[in-house]
């Protein structure tokens, strides 16, 4: 089957309840800069992937596999995948 | 005016043309793991912010200001803001 190029975005975030010291540091820095009313900041990662696949579903399956094996630490992180 | 809590997502990515060694390393690692057909990987950052603001427009303005001052290095990075 012919392969097409798909653009995907994978977002990896810390699970709820997992401490995010980087996010806390940003909260503190925003407060120091005079930004009021910040309740919380959590930092995550985003991966923009261009890949060959036979279909959108195939691309999603491959990306989930990549997340499990490399892109996310599934003990403490959740991932979401958007293809299209 | 009464303030409400808004949830926002700020995505910060390297501008096109800016070298992304981290993305290249991930491409190499995915290749080593046997993933074929990866054309490119670019890594960025995502910030999930909960904040008080009087309106969605006010929240967007504040977030853009945060990006300019702290969250993004606008020389090499672009940012996008989603409130709601």
């Amino acid at each position: 089957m012919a392969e097409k190029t798909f653009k995907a975005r994978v977002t990896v975030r810390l699970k709820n309840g997992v401490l995010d010291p980087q996010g806390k540091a940003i909260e503190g820095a925003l407060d120091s800069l005079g930004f009021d009313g910040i309740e919380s900041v959590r930092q995550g990662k985003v991966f923009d992937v261009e890949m060959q696949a036979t279909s959108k579903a195939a691309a999603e399956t491959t990306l989930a596999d990549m997340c499990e094996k490399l892109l996310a630490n599934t003990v403490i992180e959740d991932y979401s995948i958007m293809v299209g």
Side-chain angles (χ1 to χ4, degrees), chain A residues 4-67:
Chain A
K4 283 189 299 182
T5 299
F6 290 89
K7 291 191 185 197
R9 169 164 291 183
V10 176
T11 308
V12 176
R13 277 170 298 166
L14 286 170
K15 291 183 179 179
N16 288 332
V18 176
L19 205 66
D20 179 4
Q22 205 169 359
K24 283 285 168 205
I26 294 165
E27 268 180 58
L30 288 172
D31 196 56
S32 303
L33 286 171
F35 289 101
D36 297 327
I38 307 300
E39 294 187 350
S40 80
V41 179
R42 307 232 345 134
Q43 182 170 354
K45 289 174 281 187
V46 61
F47 303 93
D48 288 319
V49 181
E50 281 183 38
M51 61 188 293
Q52 298 278 330
T54 49
S55 69
K56 189 176 165 179
E60 283 169 350
T61 306
T62 305
L63 287 161
D65 201 22
M66 286 180 197
C67 286

